[in-house]
Amino acid sequence: MFRKSVIRLSEILPKLLREEGLETPLLQKRLIDSWGTVVGETVASYTTEKFIRNQTLFVKIQSPALRADLSMIRQKLVKKLNDKVGTMVIADIRFY
């Protein structure tokens, strides 16, 4: 019996996810899930809703003072969140 070329699952899975259009939603989910780790549990406790639309992360913050503080470090948060996922998923963050 001859063995055909063996391809690792770690090589096939990313290609399959990309072909089926599931790679982006999976990365977005990972980014949203990493919000608490990146900003810390205290800030995350003031967060009620998070979603991504058109490469922008929308985050609902309950405290106006915290919203203003986070707006000032918005680009730093974008970089940290993208680094956590390993690729560029978002380009901006909007707090409301």
Side-chain angles (χ1 to χ4, degrees):
M1 181 163 93
F2 293 99
R3 182 182 261 186
K4 294 188 177 193
S5 62
V6 177
I7 302 172
R8 294 178 182 228
L9 185 59
S10 62
E11 296 171 10
I12 294 173
L13 194 56
K15 183 179 177 184
L16 178 67
L17 288 172
R18 193 172 301 116
E19 288 174 358
E20 296 298 320
L22 299 173
E23 182 181 38
T24 302
L26 180 63
L27 291 172
Q28 289 176 348
K29 173 76 169 116
R30 286 181 183 166
L31 187 131
I32 289 172
D33 289 346
S34 68
W35 172 258
T37 332
V38 171
V39 297
E41 292 304 317
T42 305
V43 174
S45 68
Y46 287 96
T47 304
T48 56
E49 298 175 18
K50 301 176 290 290
F51 63 92
I52 298 175
R53 184 179 297 142
N54 297 331
Q55 290 188 326
T56 302
L57 175 64
F58 292 87
V59 182
K60 186 170 186 177
I61 305 288
Q62 295 174 339
S63 168
L66 181 59
R67 188 180 316 126
D69 288 346
L70 291 175
S71 292
M72 289 188 278
I73 60 167
R74 182 170 82 202
Q75 291 304 318
K76 190 182 213 181
L77 290 173
V78 168
K79 184 178 180 338
K80 283 184 177 183
L81 286 165
N82 283 331
D83 288 348
K84 187 77 173 173
V85 177
T87 187
M88 186 183 151
V89 177
I90 60 169
D92 197 12
I93 299 177
R94 298 283 180 208
F95 301 104
Y96 67 98

Coordinates of all heavy atoms in Angstrom, one line a residue:
M1 N 0.8 -1.2 0.0 CA 0.0 0.0 0.0 C 0.9 1.2 0.0 O 1.8 1.3 0.8 CB -0.9 0.0 1.3 CG -1.8 1.1 1.3 SD -3.1 0.9 2.5 CE -2.4 1.6 4.0
F2 N 0.6 2.2 -0.9 CA 1.4 3.4 -1.0 C 0.7 4.5 -0.2 O -0.5 4.7 -0.3 CB 1.5 3.8 -2.5 CG 2.4 2.8 -3.2 CD1 1.8 1.9 -4.0 CD2 3.7 2.9 -3.1 CE1 2.6 1.0 -4.7 CE2 4.5 2.0 -3.8 CZ 3.9 1.0 -4.6
R3 N 1.5 5.3 0.4 CA 0.9 6.4 1.2 C 1.0 7.7 0.4 O 2.1 8.0 -0.1 CB 1.7 6.5 2.5 CG 1.2 7.7 3.4 CD 2.1 7.8 4.6 NE 1.4 7.1 5.7 CZ 1.8 7.1 6.9 NH1 2.9 7.7 7.2 NH2 1.1 6.5 7.9
K4 N -0.1 8.3 0.2 CA -0.1 9.6 -0.5 C 0.5 10.7 0.4 O 0.7 10.4 1.6 CB -1.5 10.0 -1.0 CG -2.0 9.0 -2.0 CD -3.3 9.5 -2.6 CE -3.7 8.6 -3.7 NZ -4.8 9.1 -4.5
S5 N 0.7 11.8 -0.1 CA 1.3 12.9 0.7 C 0.4 13.2 1.9 O -0.8 13.4 1.7 CB 1.6 14.1 -0.1 OG 0.4 14.6 -0.6
V6 N 0.9 13.3 3.0 CA 0.2 13.5 4.2 C 0.2 15.0 4.5 O 1.3 15.6 4.5 CB 0.8 12.7 5.4 CG1 0.0 13.0 6.7 CG2 0.7 11.2 5.1
I7 N -0.9 15.6 4.7 CA -1.0 17.0 5.0 C -1.5 17.1 6.5 O -2.5 16.5 6.8 CB -2.0 17.7 4.1 CG1 -1.5 17.5 2.6 CG2 -2.0 19.2 4.4 CD1 -2.4 18.1 1.6
R8 N -0.9 18.0 7.2 CA -1.3 18.1 8.6 C -2.6 18.9 8.7 O -2.9 19.7 7.9 CB -0.2 18.9 9.4 CG 1.1 18.2 9.5 CD 2.1 19.0 10.2 NE 3.3 18.3 10.3 CZ 4.0 18.2 11.4 NH1 3.6 18.7 12.5 NH2 5.1 17.5 11.4
L9 N -3.3 18.6 9.8 CA -4.6 19.3 10.0 C -4.4 20.8 10.2 O -5.2 21.6 9.8 CB -5.3 18.6 11.2 CG -6.7 19.1 11.5 CD1 -7.6 18.9 10.3 CD2 -7.2 18.4 12.7
S10 N -3.3 21.1 10.9 CA -3.0 22.5 11.1 C -2.8 23.3 9.8 O -2.9 24.5 9.8 CB -1.8 22.7 12.0 OG -0.6 22.1 11.4
E11 N -2.5 22.6 8.7 CA -2.3 23.3 7.4 C -3.7 23.3 6.7 O -4.0 24.3 6.0 CB -1.3 22.5 6.6 CG 0.1 22.6 7.1 CD 1.0 21.6 6.4 OE1 0.6 21.1 5.3 OE2 2.1 21.4 6.9
I12 N -4.5 22.3 6.9 CA -5.8 22.2 6.2 C -6.9 23.1 6.8 O -7.6 23.8 6.1 CB -6.3 20.8 6.2 CG1 -5.4 19.9 5.4 CG2 -7.7 20.7 5.6 CD1 -5.7 18.4 5.5
L13 N -6.9 23.2 8.1 CA -8.0 23.9 8.8 C -8.1 25.4 8.5 O -9.1 25.9 8.2 CB -7.9 23.7 10.3 CG -9.1 24.1 11.2 CD1 -10.3 23.4 10.7 CD2 -8.8 23.8 12.6
P14 N -6.9 26.2 8.5 CA -7.1 27.6 8.2 C -7.5 27.8 6.7 O -8.3 28.7 6.4 CB -5.6 28.1 8.4 CG -5.0 27.2 9.3 CD -5.6 25.8 9.0
K15 N -7.1 26.9 5.8 CA -7.5 27.0 4.4 C -9.0 26.8 4.3 O -9.7 27.5 3.6 CB -6.7 26.1 3.6 CG -7.0 26.2 2.1 CD -6.1 25.2 1.3 CE -6.5 25.3 -0.1 NZ -5.8 24.3 -0.9
L16 N -9.4 25.8 5.0 CA -10.9 25.4 4.9 C -11.7 26.5 5.5 O -12.8 26.9 4.9 CB -11.1 24.1 5.7 CG -12.6 23.6 5.8 CD1 -13.1 23.2 4.4 CD2 -12.7 22.5 6.7
L17 N -11.3 27.1 6.6 CA -12.1 28.2 7.3 C -12.1 29.4 6.3 O -13.2 30.0 6.2 CB -11.4 28.6 8.6 CG -11.6 27.6 9.7 CD1 -10.7 28.1 10.9 CD2 -13.0 27.5 10.1
R18 N -11.0 29.7 5.6 CA -11.0 30.8 4.7 C -11.9 30.6 3.5 O -12.6 31.4 3.1 CB -9.5 31.0 4.2 CG -9.3 32.3 3.5 CD -7.8 32.6 3.2 NE -7.0 32.6 4.5 CZ -6.1 31.7 4.7 NH1 -5.8 30.8 3.9 NH2 -5.4 31.8 5.8
E19 N -11.9 29.4 3.0 CA -12.7 29.0 1.8 C -14.2 29.1 2.2 O -15.0 29.4 1.3 CB -12.3 27.6 1.3 CG -11.0 27.6 0.6 CD -10.6 26.2 0.2 OE1 -11.3 25.2 0.5 OE2 -9.5 26.1 -0.4
E20 N -14.5 28.7 3.4 CA -15.9 28.6 3.8 C -16.4 30.0 4.3 O -17.6 30.1 4.7 CB -16.2 27.5 4.8 CG -15.9 26.1 4.3 CD -16.9 25.8 3.1 OE1 -18.1 26.1 3.2 OE2 -16.4 25.1 2.2
G21 N -15.5 31.0 4.4 CA -15.9 32.3 4.9 C -16.1 32.3 6.4 O -16.8 33.2 7.0
L22 N -15.4 31.4 7.1 CA -15.6 31.4 8.6 C -14.4 31.9 9.4 O -14.4 32.1 10.6 CB -15.8 29.9 9.0 CG -17.1 29.3 8.5 CD1 -17.1 27.8 8.9 CD2 -18.3 30.0 9.0
E23 N -13.3 32.3 8.6 CA -12.1 32.8 9.3 C -12.4 34.2 10.0 O -12.0 34.3 11.1 CB -11.0 32.9 8.3 CG -9.7 33.4 8.9 CD -8.6 33.5 7.9 OE1 -8.9 34.0 6.7 OE2 -7.5 33.2 8.2
T24 N -13.0 35.1 9.3 CA -13.2 36.4 9.8 C -14.2 36.4 11.0 O -13.8 37.0 12.1 CB -13.8 37.4 8.7 OG1 -12.8 37.4 7.7 CG2 -14.0 38.8 9.3
P25 N -15.3 35.7 11.0 CA -16.1 35.7 12.2 C -15.4 35.0 13.4 O -15.6 35.5 14.5 CB -17.4 34.8 11.7 CG -17.4 34.9 10.3 CD -16.0 35.1 9.8
L26 N -14.6 34.0 13.1 CA -13.9 33.4 14.2 C -12.9 34.3 14.8 O -12.8 34.4 16.1 CB -13.2 32.1 13.7 CG -12.4 31.3 14.7 CD1 -13.3 30.8 15.8 CD2 -11.6 30.2 14.0
L27 N -12.2 35.1 14.0 CA -11.2 36.1 14.5 C -11.9 37.2 15.3 O -11.4 37.7 16.3 CB -10.4 36.6 13.4 CG -9.4 35.7 12.7 CD1 -8.8 36.3 11.5 CD2 -8.3 35.3 13.7
Q28 N -13.1 37.6 14.8 CA -13.8 38.7 15.5 C -14.3 38.2 16.8 O -14.2 38.9 17.8 CB -15.0 39.1 14.6 CG -14.7 39.9 13.4 CD -15.9 40.2 12.5 OE1 -17.0 39.6 12.7 NE2 -15.7 41.1 11.5
K29 N -14.7 36.9 16.9 CA -15.2 36.4 18.2 C -14.0 36.3 19.2 O -14.1 36.6 20.4 CB -15.7 35.0 17.9 CG -16.1 34.2 19.2 CD -17.4 34.7 19.8 CE -17.8 33.7 20.9 NZ -17.8 34.3 22.2
R30 N -12.8 35.9 18.7 CA -11.7 35.9 19.5 C -11.3 37.2 20.1 O -10.9 37.4 21.2 CB -10.5 35.2 18.8 CG -10.6 33.8 18.6 CD -9.4 33.3 17.8 NE -9.5 31.8 17.6 CZ -8.7 31.2 16.7 NH1 -7.8 31.8 16.1 NH2 -9.0 29.9 16.5
L31 N -11.4 38.2 19.2 CA -11.0 39.6 19.6 C -12.0 40.1 20.6 O -11.6 40.7 21.7 CB -11.1 40.5 18.4 CG -10.6 41.9 18.7 CD1 -9.5 42.4 17.6 CD2 -11.7 42.9 18.7
I32 N -13.3 39.9 20.5 CA -14.3 40.3 21.4 C -14.1 39.6 22.8 O -14.2 40.2 23.8 CB -15.7 40.1 20.9 CG1 -16.0 41.2 19.8 CG2 -16.7 40.2 22.0 CD1 -17.2 40.9 19.0
D33 N -13.7 38.3 22.7 CA -13.5 37.6 23.9 C -12.2 38.0 24.7 O -12.1 37.8 25.9 CB -13.4 36.1 23.6 CG -14.7 35.4 23.2 OD1 -15.8 36.1 23.5 OD2 -14.7 34.3 22.7
S34 N -11.3 38.6 23.9 CA -10.0 39.0 24.6 C -10.2 40.4 25.2 O -9.2 40.9 25.8 CB -8.9 39.0 23.6 OG -9.1 39.9 22.6
W35 N -11.3 41.1 25.0 CA -11.5 42.5 25.5 C -11.2 42.5 27.0 O -10.4 43.4 27.5 CB -12.9 42.9 25.3 CG -13.3 44.2 25.9 CD1 -14.0 44.4 27.1 CD2 -12.9 45.5 25.5 NE1 -14.1 45.7 27.4 CE2 -13.4 46.4 26.5 CE3 -12.1 46.0 24.5 CZ2 -13.3 47.8 26.4 CZ3 -12.0 47.4 24.4 CH2 -12.5 48.3 25.3
G36 N -11.7 41.6 27.8 CA -11.5 41.6 29.3 C -10.0 41.4 29.7 O -9.6 42.0 30.6
T37 N -9.3 40.6 28.9 CA -7.9 40.4 29.2 C -7.1 41.6 28.9 O -6.2 42.0 29.6 CB -7.4 39.2 28.4 OG1 -8.4 38.3 28.1 CG2 -6.3 38.5 29.1
V38 N -7.4 42.3 27.8 CA -6.6 43.5 27.4 C -6.9 44.7 28.2 O -5.9 45.3 28.7 CB -6.9 43.8 25.9 CG1 -6.3 45.1 25.5 CG2 -6.4 42.7 25.0
V39 N -8.1 45.0 28.5 CA -8.4 46.2 29.3 C -8.4 45.9 30.8 O -8.4 46.9 31.6 CB -9.7 46.8 28.9 CG1 -9.7 47.3 27.5 CG2 -10.9 45.9 29.1
G40 N -8.5 44.7 31.2 CA -8.6 44.4 32.7 C -10.0 44.2 33.1 O -11.0 44.7 32.5
E41 N -10.2 43.4 34.2 CA -11.5 43.1 34.7 C -12.3 44.3 35.2 O -13.5 44.3 35.1 CB -11.4 42.0 35.7 CG -10.9 40.6 35.2 CD -11.8 40.1 34.1 OE1 -13.0 40.2 34.2 OE2 -11.2 39.6 33.0
T42 N -11.6 45.2 35.8 CA -12.3 46.4 36.3 C -13.0 47.2 35.2 O -14.2 47.5 35.3 CB -11.3 47.3 37.0 OG1 -10.7 46.6 38.0 CG2 -12.1 48.5 37.7
V43 N -12.3 47.5 34.1 CA -12.9 48.2 33.0 C -13.9 47.3 32.3 O -15.0 47.8 31.9 CB -11.8 48.6 31.9 CG1 -12.4 49.2 30.7 CG2 -10.8 49.6 32.6
A44 N -13.6 46.0 32.2 CA -14.6 45.1 31.5 C -15.9 45.0 32.3 O -17.0 44.8 31.7 CB -14.0 43.7 31.4
S45 N -15.9 45.3 33.6 CA -17.1 45.2 34.4 C -18.0 46.4 34.0 O -19.2 46.3 34.3 CB -16.8 45.2 35.9 OG -16.2 46.4 36.3
Y46 N -17.5 47.5 33.5 CA -18.3 48.6 33.0 C -18.8 48.4 31.6 O -19.5 49.3 31.1 CB -17.5 49.9 33.2 CG -17.3 50.3 34.6 CD1 -16.2 50.1 35.3 CD2 -18.3 51.1 35.2 CE1 -16.0 50.5 36.6 CE2 -18.2 51.5 36.6 CZ -17.0 51.2 37.2 OH -16.9 51.6 38.5
T47 N -18.4 47.4 31.0 CA -18.8 47.1 29.6 C -20.0 46.3 29.5 O -20.1 45.3 30.2 CB -17.6 46.4 28.8 OG1 -16.4 47.2 29.0 CG2 -17.9 46.2 27.4
T48 N -21.0 46.7 28.7 CA -22.2 45.9 28.6 C -22.4 45.2 27.2 O -22.8 44.1 27.2 CB -23.5 46.8 28.9 OG1 -23.5 47.9 28.0 CG2 -23.5 47.3 30.3
E49 N -22.0 45.9 26.2 CA -22.2 45.3 24.8 C -20.9 45.5 24.0 O -20.3 46.6 24.1 CB -23.4 46.0 24.1 CG -24.7 45.8 24.8 CD -25.8 46.6 24.1 OE1 -25.6 47.0 22.9 OE2 -26.8 46.8 24.7
K50 N -20.6 44.6 23.2 CA -19.5 44.7 22.2 C -19.9 44.0 20.9 O -20.4 42.9 20.9 CB -18.3 44.0 22.8 CG -17.8 44.5 24.1 CD -16.6 43.7 24.6 CE -16.9 42.3 25.1 NZ -17.7 42.2 26.3
F51 N -19.6 44.7 19.8 CA -19.8 44.1 18.5 C -18.9 44.7 17.5 O -18.4 45.8 17.7 CB -21.3 44.1 18.0 CG -21.8 45.5 17.8 CD1 -21.8 46.1 16.6 CD2 -22.4 46.2 18.9 CE1 -22.3 47.4 16.4 CE2 -22.9 47.5 18.7 CZ -22.8 48.1 17.5
I52 N -18.7 44.0 16.4 CA -17.8 44.6 15.3 C -18.6 44.7 14.0 O -19.4 43.9 13.6 CB -16.6 43.6 15.0 CG1 -15.8 43.5 16.3 CG2 -15.8 44.1 13.8 CD1 -14.6 42.4 16.2
R53 N -18.5 45.9 13.4 CA -19.1 46.2 12.2 C -18.1 47.0 11.3 O -17.6 48.1 11.8 CB -20.4 47.0 12.4 CG -21.1 47.2 11.1 CD -22.4 48.0 11.2 NE -23.3 47.2 12.1 CZ -24.1 47.8 13.0 NH1 -24.1 49.1 13.2 NH2 -24.9 47.0 13.7
N54 N -17.8 46.6 10.1 CA -16.9 47.3 9.2 C -15.6 47.6 9.8 O -15.1 48.7 9.8 CB -17.6 48.6 8.7 CG -18.8 48.3 7.9 OD1 -19.0 47.3 7.3 ND2 -19.8 49.3 7.9
Q55 N -15.0 46.6 10.4 CA -13.6 46.7 11.0 C -13.6 47.7 12.2 O -12.5 48.2 12.5 CB -12.6 47.0 10.0 CG -12.3 45.9 9.1 CD -11.1 46.1 8.2 OE1 -10.8 47.3 7.8 NE2 -10.3 45.1 7.9
T56 N -14.7 48.0 12.8 CA -14.8 48.9 13.9 C -15.4 48.2 15.1 O -16.5 47.6 14.9 CB -15.6 50.2 13.6 OG1 -15.0 50.8 12.5 CG2 -15.6 51.1 14.8
L57 N -14.8 48.2 16.2 CA -15.3 47.6 17.4 C -16.1 48.6 18.2 O -15.6 49.7 18.5 CB -14.2 47.1 18.3 CG -14.6 46.5 19.7 CD1 -15.4 45.3 19.6 CD2 -13.3 46.2 20.5
F58 N -17.4 48.3 18.4 CA -18.3 49.2 19.1 C -18.4 48.6 20.5 O -18.8 47.5 20.7 CB -19.7 49.3 18.5 CG -19.6 50.0 17.1 CD1 -19.3 49.3 16.0 CD2 -19.9 51.4 17.1 CE1 -19.3 50.0 14.8 CE2 -19.8 52.0 15.9 CZ -19.5 51.3 14.7
V59 N -18.2 49.5 21.5 CA -18.2 49.0 22.9 C -19.1 50.0 23.7 O -18.9 51.2 23.7 CB -16.8 49.0 23.6 CG1 -16.8 48.5 25.0 CG2 -15.8 48.1 22.7
K60 N -20.1 49.5 24.4 CA -20.9 50.3 25.3 C -20.3 50.3 26.7 O -20.2 49.3 27.3 CB -22.3 49.7 25.3 CG -23.3 50.6 26.0 CD -24.7 50.1 25.9 CE -25.7 51.1 26.5 NZ -27.1 50.7 26.3
I61 N -20.0 51.5 27.1 CA -19.4 51.8 28.4 C -20.4 52.5 29.3 O -21.0 53.5 28.8 CB -18.1 52.6 28.3 CG1 -17.1 51.9 27.3 CG2 -17.5 52.8 29.7 CD1 -16.5 50.7 27.8
Q62 N -20.7 52.0 30.5 CA -21.7 52.6 31.4 C -21.2 53.9 32.0 O -22.0 54.8 32.3 CB -22.0 51.6 32.5 CG -22.7 50.4 32.0 CD -22.9 49.4 33.0 OE1 -22.3 49.4 34.1 NE2 -23.9 48.5 32.8
S63 N -19.9 54.1 32.2 CA -19.4 55.3 32.9 C -18.9 56.3 31.8 O -18.0 56.0 31.1 CB -18.2 54.9 33.8 OG -17.5 56.0 34.2
P64 N -19.4 57.5 31.8 CA -19.0 58.6 30.9 C -17.5 59.0 31.1 O -16.8 59.2 30.2 CB -19.9 59.8 31.2 CG -21.1 59.2 31.9 CD -20.6 58.0 32.6
A65 N -17.0 59.0 32.4 CA -15.6 59.3 32.6 C -14.7 58.2 32.1 O -13.7 58.5 31.4 CB -15.4 59.4 34.1
L66 N -15.1 57.0 32.2 CA -14.3 55.9 31.7 C -14.3 55.9 30.2 O -13.3 55.7 29.5 CB -14.8 54.5 32.2 CG -14.0 53.3 31.7 CD1 -12.6 53.3 32.2 CD2 -14.7 52.0 32.3
R67 N -15.4 56.2 29.6 CA -15.6 56.3 28.1 C -14.6 57.4 27.6 O -13.9 57.2 26.6 CB -17.0 56.7 27.8 CG -17.3 56.6 26.3 CD -18.8 57.0 26.0 NE -19.7 56.3 26.9 CZ -20.7 57.0 27.5 NH1 -20.8 58.3 27.5 NH2 -21.5 56.3 28.3
A68 N -14.5 58.5 28.3 CA -13.6 59.6 27.9 C -12.1 59.1 28.0 O -11.3 59.4 27.1 CB -13.8 60.8 28.7
D69 N -11.8 58.4 29.1 CA -10.4 57.9 29.3 C -10.0 56.9 28.2 O -8.9 57.0 27.6 CB -10.3 57.3 30.6 CG -10.3 58.4 31.8 OD1 -10.1 59.6 31.5 OD2 -10.4 57.9 32.9
L70 N -11.0 56.0 27.9 CA -10.7 55.0 26.9 C -10.6 55.6 25.5 O -9.8 55.1 24.7 CB -11.7 53.9 26.9 CG -11.7 53.0 28.2 CD1 -12.9 52.0 28.1 CD2 -10.4 52.2 28.3
S71 N -11.3 56.6 25.2 CA -11.2 57.3 23.9 C -9.9 57.9 23.7 O -9.4 57.9 22.5 CB -12.3 58.4 23.8 OG -13.6 57.8 23.8
M72 N -9.2 58.3 24.7 CA -7.9 58.9 24.6 C -6.8 57.8 24.3 O -5.8 58.1 23.6 CB -7.5 59.6 25.8 CG -8.2 60.9 26.0 SD -7.6 61.9 27.3 CE -8.4 61.2 28.7
I73 N -7.0 56.6 24.7 CA -6.0 55.5 24.4 C -6.6 54.5 23.4 O -6.2 53.4 23.3 CB -5.6 54.8 25.7 CG1 -6.8 54.1 26.4 CG2 -4.9 55.7 26.6 CD1 -6.4 53.2 27.5
R74 N -7.5 55.0 22.5 CA -8.2 54.1 21.6 C -7.2 53.4 20.6 O -7.3 52.2 20.4 CB -9.1 55.0 20.8 CG -10.0 54.3 19.8 CD -11.0 55.3 19.3 NE -10.5 56.2 18.3 CZ -11.0 57.3 17.9 NH1 -12.0 57.8 18.6 NH2 -10.4 58.0 17.0
Q75 N -6.3 54.1 20.0 CA -5.3 53.5 19.1 C -4.4 52.4 19.8 O -4.1 51.4 19.2 CB -4.5 54.5 18.4 CG -5.3 55.4 17.4 CD -6.0 54.5 16.4 OE1 -5.5 53.6 15.8 NE2 -7.3 54.9 16.1
K76 N -4.1 52.7 21.0 CA -3.3 51.7 21.8 C -4.1 50.4 22.0 O -3.6 49.3 21.9 CB -2.9 52.3 23.1 CG -1.9 51.6 23.9 CD -1.7 52.4 25.2 CE -0.3 52.2 25.7 NZ -0.1 52.9 27.0
L77 N -5.4 50.6 22.3 CA -6.2 49.4 22.5 C -6.4 48.6 21.2 O -6.5 47.4 21.2 CB -7.6 49.9 23.1 CG -7.6 50.4 24.5 CD1 -9.0 50.9 24.8 CD2 -7.2 49.3 25.5
V78 N -6.6 49.3 20.1 CA -6.7 48.7 18.8 C -5.5 47.8 18.6 O -5.6 46.6 18.2 CB -6.9 49.7 17.7 CG1 -6.7 49.0 16.3 CG2 -8.2 50.4 17.7
K79 N -4.3 48.3 18.8 CA -3.1 47.6 18.6 C -3.0 46.4 19.5 O -2.7 45.3 19.0 CB -1.8 48.5 18.8 CG -0.5 47.8 18.5 CD 0.6 48.7 18.6 CE 2.0 48.0 18.3 NZ 2.1 46.6 18.4
K80 N -3.3 46.6 20.8 CA -3.2 45.4 21.7 C -4.2 44.3 21.4 O -3.9 43.2 21.5 CB -3.5 45.9 23.1 CG -2.3 46.7 23.8 CD -2.6 47.0 25.2 CE -1.4 47.7 25.9 NZ -1.7 48.0 27.3
L81 N -5.4 44.7 21.0 CA -6.5 43.7 20.7 C -6.1 42.9 19.4 O -6.2 41.7 19.3 CB -7.8 44.4 20.5 CG -8.5 44.8 21.8 CD1 -9.6 45.8 21.5 CD2 -9.0 43.7 22.6
N82 N -5.6 43.6 18.4 CA -5.1 43.0 17.2 C -3.9 42.1 17.4 O -3.8 41.0 16.9 CB -4.8 44.0 16.1 CG -6.0 44.6 15.4 OD1 -7.1 43.9 15.3 ND2 -5.9 45.8 15.0
D83 N -3.0 42.5 18.3 CA -1.9 41.7 18.6 C -2.3 40.4 19.4 O -1.7 39.4 19.2 CB -0.9 42.5 19.5 CG -0.1 43.6 18.7 OD1 -0.2 43.5 17.5 OD2 0.5 44.4 19.3
K84 N -3.3 40.6 20.2 CA -3.8 39.4 21.0 C -4.4 38.3 20.0 O -4.2 37.1 20.2 CB -4.9 39.9 21.9 CG -5.4 38.9 22.9 CD -4.4 38.6 24.0 CE -5.0 37.7 25.0 NZ -4.1 37.3 26.0
V85 N -5.0 38.8 18.9 CA -5.6 37.8 18.0 C -4.5 37.3 17.0 O -4.6 36.2 16.5 CB -6.8 38.5 17.2 CG1 -7.3 37.6 16.2 CG2 -7.9 38.9 18.2
G86 N -3.6 38.2 16.7 CA -2.5 37.8 15.8 C -2.6 38.3 14.4 O -1.8 38.0 13.6
T87 N -3.6 39.1 14.1 CA -3.8 39.7 12.8 C -4.7 40.9 13.0 O -5.3 41.1 14.0 CB -4.5 38.7 11.8 OG1 -4.5 39.2 10.5 CG2 -5.9 38.3 12.3
M88 N -4.8 41.7 11.9 CA -5.6 42.9 12.0 C -7.0 42.6 11.7 O -7.4 42.2 10.6 CB -5.1 44.0 11.0 CG -5.8 45.3 11.1 SD -5.3 46.4 9.9 CE -6.8 47.4 9.7
V89 N -7.8 42.7 12.8 CA -9.2 42.4 12.7 C -10.0 43.7 12.7 O -11.0 43.9 12.0 CB -9.7 41.5 13.8 CG1 -11.2 41.3 13.8 CG2 -9.0 40.2 13.8
I90 N -9.6 44.7 13.6 CA -10.3 46.0 13.7 C -9.3 47.1 13.3 O -8.1 47.0 13.5 CB -10.9 46.2 15.1 CG1 -9.8 46.2 16.1 CG2 -12.0 45.2 15.3 CD1 -10.3 46.6 17.5
A91 N -9.8 48.2 12.9 CA -9.1 49.4 12.6 C -9.4 50.5 13.5 O -8.6 51.5 13.6 CB -9.3 49.9 11.1
D92 N -10.5 50.4 14.2 CA -10.9 51.5 15.1 C -11.8 51.0 16.2 O -12.4 49.9 16.1 CB -11.6 52.6 14.3 CG -11.7 53.9 15.1 OD1 -11.0 54.1 16.1 OD2 -12.5 54.8 14.6
I93 N -12.0 51.8 17.3 CA -12.9 51.4 18.4 C -13.8 52.7 18.6 O -13.3 53.8 18.6 CB -12.2 51.1 19.7 CG1 -11.3 49.9 19.5 CG2 -13.2 50.8 20.8 CD1 -10.5 49.6 20.8
R94 N -15.1 52.4 18.7 CA -16.0 53.5 19.1 C -16.7 53.2 20.4 O -17.2 52.0 20.6 CB -17.1 53.7 18.0 CG -16.6 54.0 16.7 CD -16.2 55.5 16.6 NE -15.7 55.8 15.3 CZ -14.9 56.7 15.0 NH1 -14.4 57.5 16.0 NH2 -14.5 56.9 13.8
F95 N -16.7 54.1 21.3 CA -17.3 53.9 22.6 C -18.6 54.7 22.6 O -18.7 55.8 22.2 CB -16.4 54.4 23.7 CG -15.1 53.7 23.8 CD1 -13.9 54.3 23.3 CD2 -15.0 52.4 24.2 CE1 -12.7 53.6 23.3 CE2 -13.8 51.7 24.2 CZ -12.6 52.4 23.8
Y96 N -19.7 54.0 23.1 CA -21.0 54.7 23.2 C -21.6 54.4 24.5 O -21.2 53.6 25.3 CB -21.9 54.3 22.0 CG -22.3 52.9 22.0 CD1 -23.5 52.5 22.4 CD2 -21.5 51.9 21.5 CE1 -24.0 51.2 22.4 CE2 -21.9 50.6 21.4 CZ -23.1 50.2 21.9 OH -23.6 48.9 21.9

